[in-house]
Amino acid sequence: MNLDSRPFVRRLAAADVPAAAALRHAAFFADGKRSLGEDVAGLFDLLGGDGYEAAFVADVGGRPVGTCLFVREEIGSLHDLRPWLAGLVVARPFWGLGLGRSLVESVEFHAAEVGCRTLHLYTDQAEPFYRALGWRVAERMSVDGEALVLMDKVVGQPTP
């Protein structure tokens, strides 16, 4: 692998939005609950925000192949909790390279940097992955007959 194609994680840039939204749409919104255009607009809104919320991409050869968000509110949240790690996705050909872990760690680091103590997420399939990264199960539930897990992790220490 040459240096130009070595995978790394960085902040989302405006030029990344179409590719990142396409990854997110295929993984989370192909059921039509959110259009590709809505997700593109949401990512641009996040980029134009106050800097608290953040998006990260896994980059291979200048191309986003994964993404993960740090957001105040989760879409359709079942809990009144804040903030959230949301939308972790890595394109299947790039699984096994540690990009998912790196994306999660980038979100966790950012969360701690902006003063968050505890981060939350929902997962329906990736509980073992998140457990291996130190996340704990806070609640198990069923939504529309599907199992869903609320997880959390302490990422920062309170300021004295």
Side-chain angles (χ1 to χ4, degrees):
M1 180 179 297
N2 69 40
L3 290 178
D4 292 335
S5 64
R6 186 178 304 162
F8 67 99
V9 172
R10 61 179 169 76
R11 293 291 287 262
L12 178 81
D16 301 321
V17 169
L23 281 169
R24 289 172 41 78
H25 189 266
F28 306 117
F29 307 119
D31 60 5
K33 291 183 180 173
R34 183 174 168 117
S35 73
L36 179 59
E38 288 172 317
D39 204 52
V40 166
L43 290 174
F44 276 120
D45 285 348
L46 191 145
L47 282 178
D50 59 10
Y52 178 82
E53 294 181 304
F56 298 88
V57 293
D59 181 301
V60 175
R63 178 176 71 136
V65 299
T67 187
C68 193
L69 309 179
F70 170 76
V71 294
R72 285 182 176 92
E73 297 179 9
E74 174 66 288
I75 297 170
S77 177
L78 304 169
H79 296 83
D80 186 24
L81 300 169
R82 290 184 182 176
W84 295 86
L85 180 147
L88 172 64
V89 61
V90 174
R92 188 172 293 268
F94 300 94
W95 286 10
L97 300 177
L99 296 174
R101 171 186 288 273
S102 294
L103 284 162
V104 170
E105 289 172 348
S106 294
V107 168
E108 291 172 356
F109 180 80
H110 176 79
E113 286 291 300
V114 297
C116 293
R117 178 161 166 65
T118 304
L119 198 50
H120 310 279
L121 66 81
Y122 288 124
T123 185
D124 60 351
Q125 301 175 30
E127 179 185 336
F129 169 78
Y130 288 109
R131 276 186 180 274
L133 298 179
W135 288 73
R136 73 169 192 95
V137 172
E139 184 180 340
R140 294 182 187 281
M141 64 204 89
S142 178
V143 178
D144 298 328
E146 300 293 324
L148 189 64
V149 180
L150 170 67
M151 301 183 81
D152 60 31
K153 183 175 182 181
V154 173
V155 294
Q157 299 303 317
T159 53

